[in-house]
Amino acid sequence: NGVISMIDLLIKDLTKEMTEAEAEEKHAQEDYETLMIDSAEKRTMDSKALQQKVSAKADMEAELFAHGDAHKGAVSELMATEQYIASLHAECDWLLQYFDTRKAARSDEVASLKNAKAVLSG
């Protein structure tokens, strides 16, 4: 009687432990499945985020390229304008430098013309 009751007790303990183990395994399997679903969703979100970042990077690179071309054009235009201003400045400097000389030459020419006119007039 004592041995049989011990065996029955062992069987009950074993059954109880097996039931607990099955419940724990079932719970662990559910946790694992939840983790896998969450991981798949995260991978999908990460993939979309990566695609958006790659697209944004490509857009920014295209914009940078366009701005680079615009910058080169603006720099070329600026250099041409500066050259034109330098040529105007040189011309103005020449006019200012020789203004008195040219003024005197014109005065002499006007005086010569008046003398010639006076000689011809009598």
Side-chain angles (χ1 to χ4, degrees):
N1 202 3
V3 174
I4 293 179
S5 65
M6 283 176 78
I7 291 176
D8 286 340
L9 183 63
L10 284 173
I11 290 173
K12 286 180 185 177
D13 287 343
L14 185 60
T15 304
K16 181 180 173 186
E17 287 178 14
M18 287 178 61
T19 304
E20 288 175 0
E22 287 174 1
E24 285 178 14
E25 186 175 339
K26 182 178 177 184
H27 183 69
Q29 182 65 29
E30 289 172 357
D31 288 346
Y32 175 77
E33 288 172 1
T34 303
L35 176 69
M36 288 296 108
I37 291 170
D38 291 346
S39 295
E41 289 174 0
K42 185 176 183 325
R43 278 193 305 273
T44 302
M45 289 176 16
D46 288 348
S47 176
K48 287 180 183 176
L50 179 63
Q51 287 175 346
Q52 289 173 347
K53 288 178 183 180
V54 166
S55 175
K57 180 184 174 203
D59 291 344
M60 286 182 188
E61 285 177 345
E63 192 174 324
L64 177 64
F65 183 74
H67 286 308
D69 288 345
H71 177 72
K72 287 178 186 175
V75 167
S76 297
E77 185 177 341
L78 176 64
M79 288 176 64
T81 303
E82 287 176 347
Q83 287 177 345
Y84 179 67
I85 289 172
S87 71
L88 288 177
H89 198 285
E91 187 176 329
C92 286
D93 287 346
W94 185 85
L95 288 173
L96 289 173
Q97 181 180 359
Y98 293 106
F99 176 77
D100 292 331
T101 306
R102 292 175 65 220
K103 184 178 176 183
R106 273 194 308 274
S107 296
D108 290 345
E109 188 177 347
V110 168
S112 296
L113 288 173
K114 285 182 181 179
N115 286 339
K117 183 178 175 185
V119 170
L120 291 174
S121 296

